[in-house]
Amino acid sequence: AVVSTQSTGLKEMKREYKKVSIDKIQDLQDDLQDMMEDANEIQEIMGQQYGMPDVDDAELEAELDALGDTMFDDDMSYLDEASEVPTTIPGSSGREEPAASQLDEFGLPALS
């Protein structure tokens, strides 16, 4: 049974490979390669720097670290207002929440 299945599979593969055109596959691969080369050339052109000096990564990292150290030294009293949490939910009547014993297992008001 195994040999018969392998024989049938081999015949099918041979029949399918006769339909494949190696030249068409090669042409497709060549076209894809050309497209990739064009894309790389465009990337290179778009990545050019104009009038920008070359910057050392270590120097840039040190400058960023220095900025980070002084960033929070300024007066941040404007954030004090943000820490004031409202006591009621906007749009609510301001009534108190039901007691825990009046809530169901999902934390919703229990139905009577």
Side-chain angles (χ1 to χ4, degrees), residues 49-63:
Q49 296 180 358
Y50 299 98
M52 295 291 295
D54 288 335
V55 179
D56 180 31
D57 287 342
E59 188 178 315
L60 189 60
E61 189 69 32
E63 185 176 342

Side-chain angles (χ1 to χ4, degrees), residues 60-71:
L60 189 60
E61 189 69 32
E63 185 176 342
L64 183 61
D65 287 341
L67 283 174
D69 291 342
T70 61
M71 182 180 255

Side-chain angles (χ1 to χ4, degrees), residues 2-97:
V2 173
V3 176
S4 174
T5 304
Q6 287 179 337
S7 176
T8 303
L10 179 61
K11 288 177 188 176
E12 289 297 319
M13 284 179 61
K14 284 182 180 180
R15 185 170 49 198
E16 290 299 317
Y17 273 121
K18 287 181 184 178
K19 297 177 187 177
V20 174
S21 169
I22 300 297
D23 291 334
K24 284 185 180 180
I25 294 173
Q26 186 62 45
D27 291 343
L28 179 62
Q29 289 294 330
D30 290 343
D31 290 345
L32 288 171
Q33 181 66 32
D34 290 343
M35 282 181 50
M36 290 302 296
E37 288 173 3
D38 290 345
N40 288 337
E41 187 175 351
I42 290 170
Q43 288 275 358
E44 187 176 318
I45 291 170
M46 296 297 289
Q48 291 179 353
Q49 296 180 358
Y50 299 98
M52 295 291 295
D54 288 335
V55 179
D56 180 31
D57 287 342
E59 188 178 315
L60 189 60
E61 189 69 32
E63 185 176 342
L64 183 61
D65 287 341
L67 283 174
D69 291 342
T70 61
M71 182 180 255
F72 297 110
D73 292 344
D74 296 339
D75 179 29
M76 295 191 310
S77 61
Y78 64 91
L79 293 175
D80 292 341
E81 292 179 26
S83 65
E84 296 175 11
V85 180
T87 56
T88 59
I89 298 172
S92 70
S93 63
R95 65 185 182 118
E96 292 187 24
E97 295 292 319

